[in-house]
Amino acid sequence: TAVLAWGRGVPPHCEPSAIDAVLDAARQAFATVVLDLPRSWGPVTDRLLDASDATVLLVPAEVRPVAAAATLIAALGPRLLAPRLVVRDAGGRSLTAREVSGSLGLDVAATLRSDASVRTAARRGEPPLRGTRGSLADACQAVLSGVAVPSGAK
């Protein structure tokens, strides 16, 4: 599995041919390619979304993030292929995964507990997952197990 991700800022301008070349190379080398889309929308995000075979939305189990996700889902509509949901537990004041799923009309692929070690690693710029145990590893496995690998892929 390969993960292609953007930072938090606005993605730089990229020629469509460059995006296609990176995606083609990743698809040739890996059976599964995960695209962590930029948070801001634009031509780069459009190109990456159009190249996707499935969509997984990570949504914190709080009212405002669920409302934002509902707006995104409504705006993207049919462009979201096989959309599924990962619900991140926001702690004591959170909604349930069932409430988030019902509000968004999406099936829950996985739930993710808040994990201080993941937040600490992210602040340090380190990979968040160093082993095969824990809530993040479980959520990743649940999501990846639900993604069909095209025939003929490595």
Side-chain angles (χ1 to χ4, degrees), residues 58 86-90 110-115 118 134-137 139-140:
L58 173 63
V86 173
V87 178
R88 184 174 57 83
D89 180 5
T111 56
L112 181 61
R113 291 186 316 274
S114 292
D115 186 336
V118 171
S135 178
L136 179 58
C140 289

Side-chain angles (χ1 to χ4, degrees), residues 50-62:
D50 290 343
S52 299
D53 296 320
T55 309
V56 178
L57 297 167
L58 173 63
V59 180
E62 298 179 68

Side-chain angles (χ1 to χ4, degrees), residues 6 16 23-24 33 38 42 50 52-53 67 77 81 100 102 104 112-114 118 122 131 133 145 152:
W6 293 90
L23 292 175
D24 288 344
V33 179
D50 290 343
S52 299
D53 296 320
L81 298 178
V100 175
L104 299 177
L112 181 61
R113 291 186 316 274
S114 292
V118 171
R133 303 176 105 186
S145 69

Side-chain angles (χ1 to χ4, degrees), residues 21-105:
V22 169
L23 292 175
D24 288 344
R27 286 179 173 148
Q28 289 176 16
F30 298 93
T32 304
V33 179
V34 176
L35 302 173
D36 181 8
L37 297 179
R39 292 181 183 197
S40 58
W41 214 262
V44 170
T45 312
D46 285 334
R47 191 75 170 193
L48 294 171
L49 184 62
D50 290 343
S52 299
D53 296 320
T55 309
V56 178
L57 297 167
L58 173 63
V59 180
E62 298 179 68
V63 173
R64 289 179 68 187
V66 170
T71 301
L72 179 66
I73 292 166
L76 296 177
R79 292 182 68 197
L80 297 177
L81 298 178
R84 295 184 307 146
L85 183 63
V86 173
V87 178
R88 184 174 57 83
D89 180 5
R93 64 184 191 280
S94 66
L95 302 168
T96 66
R98 180 178 284 188
E99 290 169 327
V100 175
S101 174
S103 296
L104 299 177

